[in-house]
Amino acid sequence: MKRNTLEIMKAEEIDKINEANLILRHFVDLSARLLPFLDELQRKKDPSLEELRNKNKIITVFENYNFDTQTSEMLIGSNILELIRKSFENISQTSYFLKPGQKNGMLHRFLEEYHRLTDNWYHISTN
């Protein structure tokens, strides 16, 4: 009887880890879409009212996210959440001052790690 209980507990733990991974991946994917858009919006000298609304919505998403950067390190062996947090802060503070065509270095590092992870996830899903 104890063996079945242990197997059930292990299965439940695995389910929780899988769910956490899925949530993390969704947030990382969302960030890969929103952060470049936020960077673009921050660079606009005369944004429209709609662009300002969009920018404020994106900022709200990241300001309300409670970043525990160790989560991504533990679950997927990556500092991707730290890169997202730093990218958001960097975009919020400096993108307006960048010259047209000039890369945001922190955003670039995040996107490189994002592409590395998505390649890994793709290879894992095809095996």
Side-chain angles (χ1 to χ4, degrees):
M1 193 78 156
K2 284 186 178 182
R3 183 177 169 110
N4 287 338
T5 303
L6 280 175
E7 289 172 1
I8 291 170
M9 287 176 60
K10 286 181 183 179
E12 288 173 356
E13 289 173 13
I14 291 170
D15 285 343
K16 287 179 184 178
I17 290 171
N18 286 338
E19 184 177 344
N21 269 323
L22 185 62
I23 291 168
L24 177 61
R25 285 176 66 170
H26 283 297
F27 182 72
V28 170
D29 286 335
L30 178 67
S31 297
R33 289 190 306 273
L34 291 181
L35 288 174
F37 187 48
L38 178 60
D39 184 55
E40 181 183 321
L41 291 172
Q42 281 289 94
R43 291 172 187 250
K44 292 223 174 204
K45 301 301 179 198
D46 294 315
S48 69
L49 189 56
E50 183 65 24
E51 289 168 331
L52 288 172
R53 282 190 202 118
N54 288 335
K55 183 170 85 169
N56 288 333
K57 287 177 188 177
I58 294 169
I59 289 171
T60 300
V61 166
F62 288 100
E63 284 181 341
N64 289 328
Y65 186 79
N66 186 11
F67 283 92
D68 178 4
T69 57
Q70 292 179 348
T71 301
S72 66
E73 292 174 18
M74 182 184 70
L75 287 175
I76 59 175
S78 170
N79 67 337
I80 194 79
L81 286 179
E82 179 71 13
L83 291 171
I84 290 170
R85 184 185 62 78
K86 285 182 177 180
S87 294
F88 169 69
E89 290 171 356
N90 190 272
I91 290 167
S92 298
Q93 297 167 6
T94 65
S95 285
Y96 183 79
F97 303 105
L98 295 177
K99 296 175 184 171
Q102 186 178 0
K103 285 184 181 178
N104 181 310
M106 188 53 66
L107 177 60
H108 182 71
R109 277 183 242 141
F110 158 64
L111 292 173
E112 282 181 336
E113 179 65 3
Y114 170 72
H115 292 300
R116 185 188 74 77
L117 286 173
T118 53
D119 285 346
N120 287 349
W121 293 334
Y122 173 76
H123 291 317
I124 289 169
S125 70
T126 58
N127 287 333

